[in-house]
Amino acid sequence: MTNKVAVLMAEGYEEGETLTIVDILRRAGLTCDTFYFGDKLVKGMHGIFVEADKPFGEEVKQYDMIVLPGGRPGGQNLKENPDVIDMVQYFNQNNKYIGAMCSGTVVLSDAKVIEGKQVTGYVGYAEKLIGGIFKDEVVVADQNLVTSQGPATPYPFAYKIAEVFGKDTSGLREKMLYNFAGGK
């Protein structure tokens, strides 16, 4: 059985983060679908329109992980959607994985799923991630959460997600020249 990851694409999503995550997870052999709110063609924070795979809804519950990328106002748009908050809480209550990076991490605080868990987020987010134990690290995995910092960190973030599903990413890192480029 292939593990399934749902990546949420709200208007204003960070293009580099979102598309890199999807790309790496698919290369790693995971099923990774993007979900949209409203229009299937979603505008990113830099004006790039990308056609998402599926409409956000109950189907997301069939996935093993939900991922909340950042972006302005993408992260805020996710945070302000009560259905997203409910879905994140559902994933937490059912011990399913939740991934978030950059401004997407603020959803975790509002959903109250970071209590006593180690997390990271964008620079200055230690004050915004209330209830969590903030770590100034590129990627932090604790219990069912995987969090990361920002636009330069989707590679290690996506590799960590693949690894929590038991994938060995060493060959993939080599093929993608990640180690050559100084990645760890």
Side-chain angles (χ1 to χ4, degrees), residues 43-58:
K43 182 180 180 182
M45 72 181 281
H46 299 357
I48 301 171
F49 285 84
V50 172
E51 185 176 317
D53 300 313
K54 300 177 176 198
F56 178 82
E58 289 296 305

Side-chain angles (χ1 to χ4, degrees), residues 23-45:
D23 175 54
I24 290 174
L25 295 179
R26 288 181 180 179
R27 288 177 192 235
L30 297 168
T31 297
C32 184
D33 295 313
T34 54
F35 287 82
Y36 60 89
F37 304 85
D39 293 331
K40 188 174 187 167
L41 205 55
V42 187
K43 182 180 180 182
M45 72 181 281

